[in-house]
Amino acid sequence: MRTAIRLADADGLEAVSLRKVATALGVGPMRLYSYIASKEELLDLMVDAAYAEIRPVGDGWREVLRSLAESTRQAAHEHEWLADLLGGRPQLGPHALANGEAVVSRLDGVDLDDAMPMVAAVNAYVIGAVRREIAARRAERASGMDERRWQAALGPYLERTFATGRFPALATVVRDAAHLDADHTFRMGLDFLLDGIEARVSR
């Protein structure tokens, strides 16, 4: 598993197959097929291994959900391919189940029917946020332009477009609102979500 993760960390999921992992290990592919049936199973095992790095902690539902969000984001930043594989059907490997147990067991005082929708809402937010962040990283690598240079390149176009008067609300936000970095944007969005959950739980 470590070899598959190392290949994916270096060159993305395209670099991962049973044959490529076998080559990296110096063994024949058939040897791996006696343990792993398909690439899909290999990817599931990689995701479960990544869940071992996601260790939510905290007292009370708000702290543990914040920890879940931040530790999942950190794992996705360390393993960009993870952002492509999160979501969909629940992960049922041992590390993923331990992760779920660590979260749900700390949702003290939360109605049983609310527990999983709360966790799902946080996971959905994190998945969307990290996919956006990873996409921006990949675009920067592909174009050779960091965010500041990209914004500078698009500046004249936006000025011309906003000068038409067709987008006054957007123009005001772009010109006058604070431009937060990815860390602040993530934490603020997470606060919005947790505040909404708290309002619902408290009513």
Side-chain angles (χ1 to χ4, degrees), residues 35-95:
Y35 298 100
I36 301 172
S38 65
K39 180 176 179 178
E40 289 70 28
E41 184 177 340
L42 175 63
L43 296 179
D44 284 343
L45 291 169
M46 290 168 60
V47 171
D48 194 64
Y51 266 101
E53 302 176 22
I54 302 171
R55 300 184 179 93
V57 296
D59 296 320
W61 68 262
R62 188 171 182 123
E63 283 186 29
V64 77
L65 289 180
R66 177 178 296 283
S67 177
L68 171 65
E70 292 179 346
S71 58
T72 303
R73 178 177 182 245
Q74 181 177 348
H77 278 228
E78 292 175 5
H79 309 290
E80 286 188 6
W81 51 268
L82 183 60
D84 300 318
L85 299 178
L86 289 173
R89 290 179 175 172
Q91 293 290 324
L92 301 177
H95 295 301

Side-chain angles (χ1 to χ4, degrees), residues 41 49 128 138 152 175:
E41 184 177 340
R138 290 169 175 167
R175 289 176 179 143

Side-chain angles (χ1 to χ4, degrees), residues 160-182:
R160 291 193 306 271
T161 302
F162 290 157
T164 66
R166 293 171 57 204
F167 310 104
L170 283 176
T172 299
V173 168
V174 169
R175 289 176 179 143
D176 300 334
H179 292 269
L180 305 176
D181 63 20

Side-chain angles (χ1 to χ4, degrees), residues 136-137 139-141 143-153:
R137 275 190 188 182
E140 181 175 325
R141 287 197 299 266
S143 67
M145 297 173 64
D146 62 18
E147 185 175 8
R148 204 169 287 235
R149 290 175 59 197
W150 177 75
Q151 289 173 341

